[in-house]
Amino acid sequence: MQYEYLSVNKVGIVILGIETSCDDTSAAIIRDGYMLSNVISSQEIHRQYGGVVPELASRAHIQNIVPVVDTAIKQANVKKEDINAVAFTRGPGLLGSLLVGTSFAKGFALASNAKLVAVNHLHAHILSNFIQEEGKEKKLPKFPFLCLLVSGGHTQIIVLRDYFDMEIIGQTIDDAAGEAFDKCAKVMGLSYPGGPVVDRHAREGDSSVFKFSKPNIAGLNYSFSGLKTSFLYTLRDKVKEDAAFVEKNIPNLCASLQQTIVDILLDKLIKAVATTGIKEIVIAGGVAANSGLRNAVTNIANEKGWTAHLPEFRFTTDNAAMIGITGYFKYINGMFTTQNVAPAARFEDMGV
Ligand code: KG4
Ligand code: ZN
């Protein structure tokens, strides 16, 4: 069942993937499930505001989209007329940003007579684990698998029974894991996005120095707001004693924070494996780049006999290759959309 789509003998299917859900403008070319190019233009303008400013993001997408797509097509060495379909992120994300990618995709499809494929950004994060490259064959996840999807906006445990059969069995009831990294980093005065910065400092620190509160909720759901508050209160109290506390303790604070987030994530993942009996594990989303999480998943997988799939770093954060590969699977299954499609800011408003 599982490689049904990959083994179909259709060759020369070229997909242009477009991603504009947040602050990265990205375009990629996928041919027959293999990535030929993946161009990402990250918008630096948000850094000075300590977070993404939606209106500035959509304006930057408008400026970036044509050169980014053009570069992706050139790098892949394909012709515009060879493109069979344009796959674009329909949602979830920032509405103005999504609108730029959606409108561009529609225009491109009309002008080049290509099909249109709408992609769910979260579905694409998961399927990023199926991106292949010529000459770099890798072991693909086998269905059914469990995906720990950890990004700036979402934290979910999802069962994938097939490419298009996803069931969310656990999710955050408040902040996402990436948000916990970013918000705590901001409190320490670190730059945005905070996740990668915390990760870097954590390598120099001792994770046992500080203890932050972990949630105590039943089932497979997550919560990160308590941790955020506990982190904030610890800093507030320590700074009263020593005004230079934060700057003196950045590595240990980052290591302890990262360890707490990783422990929270793994606690429920272990429960999900016990509940479902599924030991094929995939991680995805921006926080899947975190070295602490990657090490912990690898170690637990070895210990418990799971098969773990960790995406390459460049496919963890937002990129169009993941939109292209998802578009490819939808294309070969005839899952097209029309020129009437509208972006969907919320996950609940769209299927796979
Ligand atoms: O998937 P993504 O690029 O965008 C969303 O769809 O949300 O994820 C962005 C999130 C940010 O919160 C960022 O801080 C986090 O991923 N992130 C990391 C790391 N790299 C990115 N968090 C922890 N450690 C990292 N190395
Ligand atoms: Zn994302």
Side-chain angles (χ1 to χ4, degrees):
M1 177 72 181
Q2 62 181 312
Y3 295 127
E4 185 186 5
Y5 307 112
L6 297 176
S7 60
V8 287
N9 193 20
K10 286 184 181 169
V11 285
I13 294 168
V14 180
I15 310 288
L16 166 64
I18 292 179
E19 157 63 29
T20 64
S21 67
C22 191
D23 58 340
D24 294 303
T25 317
S26 181
I29 297 287
I30 301 282
R31 185 169 60 206
D32 298 330
Y34 283 78
M35 185 185 89
L36 301 184
S37 65
N38 183 34
V39 177
I40 305 171
S41 169
S42 299
Q43 305 174 0
E44 291 303 319
I45 184 140
H46 307 286
R47 212 172 273 276
Q48 59 188 292
Y49 299 99
V52 177
V53 184
E55 181 54 31
L56 295 178
S58 23
R59 286 187 210 178
H61 284 306
I62 292 171
Q63 285 177 337
N64 295 342
I65 188 97
V66 172
V68 165
V69 169
D70 201 41
T71 310
I73 292 173
K74 285 201 178 107
Q75 277 184 8
N77 206 11
V78 295
K79 294 195 224 65
K80 281 202 185 78
E81 333 46 290
D82 297 337
I83 294 170
N84 298 89
V86 188
F88 64 97
T89 305
R90 183 177 165 223
L94 301 170
L95 199 56
S97 293
L98 293 166
L99 201 52
V100 178
T102 306
S103 311
F104 181 90
K106 286 185 190 180
F108 191 102
L110 260 187
S112 60
N113 223 3
K115 299 261 190 209
L116 257 185
V117 179
V119 172
N120 175 330
H121 181 84
L122 300 175
H123 187 210
H125 267 302
I126 303 170
L127 297 190
S128 67
N129 282 277
F130 289 89
I131 299 170
Q132 301 206 72
E133 280 176 281
E134 218 67 68
K136 284 197 202 169
E137 302 312 315
K138 64 170 203 172
K139 213 166 141 205
L140 301 178
K142 291 191 177 133
F143 296 105
F145 62 79
L146 284 182
C147 179
L148 175 65
L149 173 60
V150 272
S151 74
H154 293 83
T155 300
Q156 299 174 327
I157 301 178
I158 304 167
V159 182
L160 269 279
R161 295 193 184 84
D162 188 16
Y163 292 97
F164 307 106
D165 182 352
M166 339 195 275
E167 185 193 349
I168 300 168
I169 57 170
Q171 61 187 321
T172 183
I173 56 166
D174 41 56
D175 290 346
E179 240 175 320
F181 271 110
D182 296 341
K183 287 181 177 169
C184 293
K186 197 169 181 179
V187 173
M188 288 185 277
L190 302 178
S191 63
Y192 177 85
V197 188
V198 170
D199 192 351
R200 241 181 357 259
H201 286 296
R203 288 170 212 195
E204 317 294 321
D206 177 350
S207 63
S208 63
V209 174
F210 300 104
K211 293 272 169 273
F212 305 114
S213 77
K214 291 183 189 166
N216 186 11
I217 45 173
L220 297 175
N221 282 343
Y222 286 109
S223 166
F224 288 97
S225 68
L227 163 63
K228 189 183 60 188
T229 312
S230 133
F231 188 81
L232 189 69
Y233 285 179
T234 303
L235 260 62
R236 189 194 57 188
D237 295 346
K238 298 278 186 187
V239 165
K240 274 187 199 150
E241 295 161 18
D242 175 3
F245 169 79
V246 175
E247 53 190 277
K248 283 183 196 160
N249 288 280
I250 290 279
N252 290 343
L253 282 168
C254 289
S256 305
L257 170 68
Q258 179 167 299
Q259 188 62 51
T260 312
I261 295 176
V262 169
D263 287 349
I264 295 172
L265 289 173
L266 284 182
D267 180 46
K268 294 296 169 96
L269 185 60
I270 293 167
K271 267 198 191 136
V273 173
T275 313
T276 61
I278 300 171
K279 293 183 167 189
E280 186 89 4
I281 309 297
V282 162
I283 61 170
V287 181
N290 184 263
S291 59
L293 179 62
R294 294 173 82 94
N295 290 338
V297 169
T298 308
N299 292 341
I300 292 190
N302 286 338
E303 190 186 300
K304 295 190 177 281
W306 303 351
T307 304
H309 299 266
L310 312 181
E312 275 184 51
F313 285 107
R314 61 202 167 119
F315 302 137
T316 55
T317 45
D318 293 346
N319 67 86
M322 69 185 194
I323 307 301
I325 193 75
T326 308
Y328 171 71
F329 291 130
K330 292 187 96 168
Y331 182 94
I332 57 182
N333 280 278
M335 298 163 83
F336 305 118
T337 189
T338 67
Q339 287 285 334
N340 294 331
V341 67
R346 284 159 22 98
F347 178 76
E348 291 72 20
D349 296 338
M350 61 179 309
V352 287

